[in-house]
Amino acid sequence: MERRRPKLHEVWPGKNNIYCGGRLITGPDRICFWIAEIMILGPTVVFWWFVSIPLALAHPILGSIVCVGNVISTLTMVFSHFKAAFLDPGIVPRGREEVPENCVKEEEIGGHTVNLSFCKTCRIWKPPRAHHCRTCDNCVLEFDHHCPWVGNCVGQGNYRWFNFFLWSVIFGSIYLFFCAGLHFGLMLHEPKATWVDTVKAYPADVGLMSYSFFICLSIFGLCGYHCNLMCKGKTTYENIKKIEEGLDDRTGCQRLIDTMFGPGRESLFDLHKEVYSEEEDEESTSSSQSSTEGGLLLDV
């Protein structure tokens, strides 16, 4: 009887967590991810209990609009957060090459000469703009950074969803601030109402406005930073290390639009694929590996 070969997700060499039989892949750190979810859903529960429901009871049409808007805002934040967290960030499959004496070489790609470095952990020549993440223990295409708040690397595969998440948090915070302020203002205009009495009677409104203002202020600068990087065609890693690849001739506006709304890239591996040992079918494996590496270099 032929021995069953393991699937790739069963013997994954990196430090990632893989769920649903290989359909979802994320990083090894989950605590900050769930803290971020609590920071999204916690204020939403407070908003519904102390703002949405009282507003809907006092002003049915206005309250209904506020409720629907809050549901859309919350679902957008949660959806983009999960997409950034559980989508393949652009992991480069590991190879089986022997470690060369010189781990740096020049290669001409698309009319440009670039320096390629060899990853001793993944045993591959890293494609242009790919870097090794120590947290996940993988080489990632267009590696930006490892974000604990999404619990995953941010790279070519999920960078747009990371940015969508940031902007959804900003718009969600603005919406929360506006609606909480609207409810507070309506209560303030009640007969014989004063500032002090209104603050004492509706502390949740004040807390939500303060919280949303702080979140919006702290993330807005980060969004602006990443928009600037997209226009320059750089990643956070390249910007910090002052790396100039010189592979992009597009304008800043084209880069931003392509990054956020252009066609996505498929994963370079299949987690349901059977894994062969180095001894099994060595010739087939080596030829397949060399063709895959050539495809990677040409495709980046």
Side-chain angles (χ1 to χ4, degrees):
M1 186 175 181
E2 186 179 354
R3 181 173 63 88
R4 174 186 175 274
R5 294 187 178 89
K7 304 290 186 180
L8 180 57
H9 69 85
E10 297 173 337
V11 292
W12 182 257
K15 298 179 182 178
N16 304 82
N17 289 320
I18 300 174
Y19 304 103
C20 301
R23 293 176 179 83
L24 304 175
I25 183 169
T26 186
D29 43 347
R30 309 303 321 139
I31 296 178
C32 288
F33 169 82
W34 291 113
I35 291 176
E37 281 297 307
I38 292 172
M39 293 175 68
I40 294 171
L41 298 176
T44 300
V45 173
V46 175
F47 179 82
W48 269 81
W49 187 258
F50 293 101
V51 178
S52 291
I53 295 177
L55 196 59
L57 293 175
H59 307 276
I61 297 178
L62 179 61
S64 300
I65 295 173
V66 168
C67 290
V68 171
N70 181 249
V71 169
I72 295 174
S73 173
T74 303
L75 289 179
T76 302
M77 286 188 284
V78 172
F79 179 76
S80 57
H81 190 213
F82 269 78
K83 287 287 285 187
F86 292 100
L87 201 63
D88 169 29
I91 298 172
V92 183
R94 298 199 178 195
R96 290 172 176 170
E97 282 197 39
E98 295 296 328
V99 179
E101 294 183 3
N102 186 3
C103 292
V104 179
K105 69 177 181 179
E106 287 188 348
E107 191 91 9
E108 186 172 338
I109 301 173
H112 299 274
T113 301
V114 296
N115 291 322
L116 301 182
S117 58
F118 189 85
C119 179
K120 297 179 181 179
T121 301
C122 299
R123 292 170 63 182
I124 59 169
W125 287 99
K126 292 185 290 187
R129 307 189 69 189
H131 300 282
H132 192 88
C133 174
R134 296 181 180 180
T135 304
C136 293
D137 200 27
N138 296 303
C139 284
V140 179
L141 294 172
E142 295 184 20
F143 175 75
D144 190 86
H145 69 290
H146 184 91
C147 179
W149 298 109
V150 300
N152 200 358
C153 292
V154 177
Q156 186 187 80
N158 63 349
Y159 184 63
R160 72 176 59 185
W161 288 108
F162 172 75
N163 280 278
F164 280 140
F165 171 62
L166 294 181
W167 281 108
S168 68
V169 170
I170 285 182
F171 287 114
S173 299
I174 293 174
Y175 184 81
L176 198 70
F177 182 91
F178 174 79
C179 292
L182 175 64
H183 181 252
F184 185 84
L186 290 173
M187 297 303 103
L188 185 61
H189 283 81
E190 289 289 318
K192 298 181 181 180
T194 64
W195 270 94
V196 176
D197 293 337
T198 307
V199 170
K200 290 181 179 179
Y202 303 98
D205 291 354
V206 179
L208 288 171
M209 285 190 290
S210 302
Y211 177 81
S212 58
F213 178 79
F214 170 77
I215 293 296
C216 185
L217 192 65
S218 60
I219 295 183
F220 189 80
L222 184 61
C223 286
Y225 173 75
H226 279 283
C227 283
N228 182 50
L229 289 180
M230 283 186 280
C231 290
K232 291 181 178 179
K234 287 188 174 185
T235 64
T236 300
Y237 183 89
E238 293 167 348
N239 190 54
I240 293 174
K241 298 291 184 178
K242 301 186 184 302
I243 299 174
E244 298 288 344
E245 291 290 354
L247 293 175
D248 199 338
D249 298 324
R250 294 171 297 172
T251 64
C253 185
Q254 287 176 325
R255 294 190 190 108
L256 191 147
I257 293 174
D258 290 345
T259 301
M260 296 300 296
F261 305 105
R265 296 291 186 95
E266 295 183 1
S267 295
L268 301 177
F269 55 87
D270 181 5
L271 288 171
H272 297 89
K273 185 178 180 180
E274 292 183 342
V275 178
Y276 291 78
S277 64
E278 292 193 40
E279 291 78 14
E280 292 179 307
D281 204 7
E282 187 173 357
E283 290 185 4
S284 175
T285 302
S286 61
S287 63
S288 174
Q289 176 190 338
S290 62
S291 64
T292 302
E293 287 174 359
L296 284 174
L297 294 178
L298 292 174
D299 192 44
V300 174

